[in-house]
Amino acid sequence: MTDDLTQLIHETRELVEDLDYPAARRWLEQNPGGKVLGHFQVYFPEELAHAAGMLPIKLAGASSALQVRQADARFAAFVCSIIRSSLESVLAGRADFLSMFVTHPICDAARHSCGVWARNLPDIPCQVLYLPHNVRSAYAPEYLESEYRRIAGVIEEVAGRELTDDALRASIELFNENRRLLRELYRIKRETPWLISTVEAYLLTRAGTVMPREEHNELLRRALPLVEARDAKSQDKIRVVFEGGFCEQPPLEMLAVIQDACYVVDDDFLIGLRWLTEDVPAGDNPYASLARAYIETSSYSPVQRDPEKLKEEMLLARIRAAGAEAAIVAAAKMCEPGLEEQVSYSRALDDAGIPHLVMEFEEKTNVFEQVRMEVETFAESLLFEFA
């Protein structure tokens, strides 16, 4: 059984690390005339694309294996790595199969990237999904529903297919199942972190960004029982929450360094996949249901402003719910939202008396000795303190 899980994780890692998106290309071969919608971080209602027969995938950057050359001529050097590597993946032919791209106004770089895509990739329609800035406005649900319907109209044109309410309801049910499976994966991480490593849980999650959701559901249904059946014992490691993986993703090697010293019992890696924290009731108006879910039953991140979900309080709640003893507060280099919140998170953790390690990372980093020294020193000092 352990061998089965090891093989499954190995296959998943190969899929995630393959910069040519093999699962998406296989889907295109199996669906002649099919279209792929790529979208940027953090959250996009992928149900809209799925209901129109498109394959939604998340462009979440790339590792140091992707040499960013052409995109560097289109973006300034101070723009974060994920913006440049996402464009490079298309310019370099890695993701040249896209039929549509959607970005979001989560920061200045992401907001203006649509114009760069439009100038350099005129055959790929690019849209900006304008999520509400003030989600507590009385008009926010109505506005967001109209924005979803606007994007759906563009999707229909690209897909050449009507996006019906019945199809959207069916897609919502499929994605509800995916979110339930991910919640179960994270329950295992919180309650028995010695059964699944940080890298393994991350790979099982990230696979959902590059493959059809039906296949991701099947992957999780296969993996979760194997994880729980593992014969493993708890080790003497501190329990931490990792905060800062909401957009650009830390390298797998960095996560491997962290897991050697800590149990990461919760995190915000690829939080868009788990942005909706409860099942979405499709109802009579599925667009309105998705809009209400975004506002009323959603997670938090530095790119959303919500006076009823203060991010510092949400982080403290996440730490307590996970039974964590400390936090790692990270931020991607050149990430304005992440670096700003790093300051407020640190203050809140100081006030709450929760030990934390502040770090920076970049997706293309390939040397981790400094990270190892910092994490091991942090973990060992807390082990002595808690002993």
Side-chain angles (χ1 to χ4, degrees):
M1 189 172 295
T2 300
D3 291 340
D4 292 342
L5 180 58
T6 300
Q7 180 62 27
L8 189 62
I9 295 295
H10 175 72
E11 293 171 358
T12 303
R13 181 163 189 155
E14 287 189 331
L15 178 72
V16 168
E17 292 189 317
D18 192 326
L19 301 178
D20 288 318
Y21 295 88
R25 294 184 183 277
R26 184 173 62 249
W27 182 87
L28 286 170
E29 292 174 359
Q30 296 169 349
N31 296 270
K35 305 291 182 64
V36 179
L37 181 149
H39 65 89
F40 192 62
Q41 300 268 41
V42 172
Y43 171 74
F44 175 77
E46 293 183 317
E47 293 92 333
L48 299 179
H50 183 272
M54 298 184 75
L55 172 63
I57 64 171
K58 184 188 289 286
L59 297 184
S63 67
S64 58
L66 178 67
Q67 296 297 314
V68 178
R69 295 188 176 94
Q70 298 182 66
D72 277 349
R74 275 81 172 176
F75 285 112
F78 56 79
V79 172
C80 61
S81 180
I82 187 175
I83 290 284
R84 290 179 281 125
S85 62
S86 295
L87 177 62
E88 183 73 25
S89 66
V90 183
L91 294 174
R94 302 289 191 139
D96 56 355
F97 50 78
L98 293 184
S99 295
M100 180 176 174
F101 176 68
V102 180
T103 186
H104 318 279
I106 59 174
C107 65
D108 286 342
R111 178 187 298 111
H112 295 299
S113 67
C114 187
V116 178
W117 277 66
R119 286 196 303 273
N120 291 278
L121 298 164
D123 294 332
I124 301 178
C126 181
Q127 289 287 319
V128 179
L129 172 61
Y130 291 97
L131 298 167
H133 288 282
N134 180 6
V135 297
R136 294 304 155 186
S137 165
Y139 297 97
E142 178 183 345
Y143 161 76
L144 186 54
E145 179 188 345
S146 68
E147 184 66 0
Y148 283 172
R149 289 184 180 275
R150 180 186 69 81
I151 291 291
V154 179
I155 289 174
E156 285 181 320
E157 292 179 9
V158 173
R161 174 173 161 179
E162 183 183 4
L163 200 168
T164 67
D165 284 358
D166 285 342
L168 184 52
R169 292 187 189 97
S171 294
I172 288 173
E173 288 303 317
L174 174 70
F175 281 76
N176 278 343
E177 174 66 12
N178 187 251
R179 288 183 282 265
R180 285 193 292 267
L181 290 166
L182 288 173
R183 288 198 296 269
E184 180 63 12
L185 173 62
Y186 271 73
R187 180 195 66 78
I188 296 172
K189 278 187 59 166
R190 287 191 300 272
E191 297 179 3
T192 52
W194 51 90
L195 293 181
I196 185 165
S197 72
T198 303
V199 169
E200 290 172 334
Y202 179 84
L203 289 170
L204 289 174
T205 301
R206 184 155 182 171
T209 68
V210 296
M211 62 169 29
R213 205 50 52 98
E214 294 87 348
E215 294 181 15
H216 191 225
N217 285 353
E218 179 59 28
L219 170 65
L220 293 174
R221 282 193 289 263
R222 289 174 57 198
L224 294 180
L226 295 175
V227 171
E228 292 202 284
R230 255 182 175 165
D231 183 17
K233 297 185 182 300
S234 175
Q235 299 179 11
D236 190 18
K237 295 181 179 180
I238 63 168
R239 297 168 59 95
V240 304
V241 163
F242 186 102
E243 191 78 15
F246 63 93
C247 187
E248 184 169 327
Q249 298 300 291
L252 285 173
E253 294 81 3
M254 177 178 168
L255 300 186
V257 167
I258 293 173
Q259 74 183 16
D260 286 345
C262 311
Y263 284 133
V264 178
V265 291
D266 207 348
D267 56 67
D268 65 344
F269 301 139
L270 299 162
I271 193 63
L273 294 178
R274 299 174 287 122
W275 185 257
L276 306 184
T277 58
E278 299 177 10
D279 285 358
V280 179
D284 294 332
N285 184 345
Y287 290 95
S289 296
L290 284 170
R292 284 195 300 271
Y294 176 83
I295 293 170
E296 297 171 4
T297 56
S298 58
S299 187
Y300 69 97
S301 87
V303 299
Q304 185 197 54
R305 299 181 64 84
D306 186 342
E308 293 188 14
K309 290 191 305 184
L310 297 179
K311 290 179 281 292
E312 298 85 355
E313 294 179 5
M314 296 291 283
L315 172 57
L316 295 176
R318 172 175 280 170
I319 291 170
R320 297 186 186 106
E325 301 157 300
I328 295 177
V329 182
K333 292 182 179 178
M334 306 296 181
C335 176
E336 184 177 348
L339 291 168
E340 285 182 355
E341 290 302 328
Q342 200 174 51
V343 176
S344 58
Y345 285 151
S346 295
R347 289 174 178 168
L349 292 167
D350 281 337
D351 292 342
I354 297 175
H356 59 283
L357 175 64
V358 176
M359 304 177 67
E360 275 191 5
F361 66 88
E362 191 171 23
E363 62 179 8
K364 63 183 182 181
T365 301
N366 54 22
V367 178
F368 302 96
E369 292 310 311
Q370 180 68 24
V371 173
R372 182 177 296 279
M373 183 181 68
E374 292 178 1
V375 173
E376 289 180 350
T377 302
F378 177 67
E380 289 173 6
S381 67
L382 292 181
L383 285 174
F384 283 123
E385 180 180 337
F386 297 152

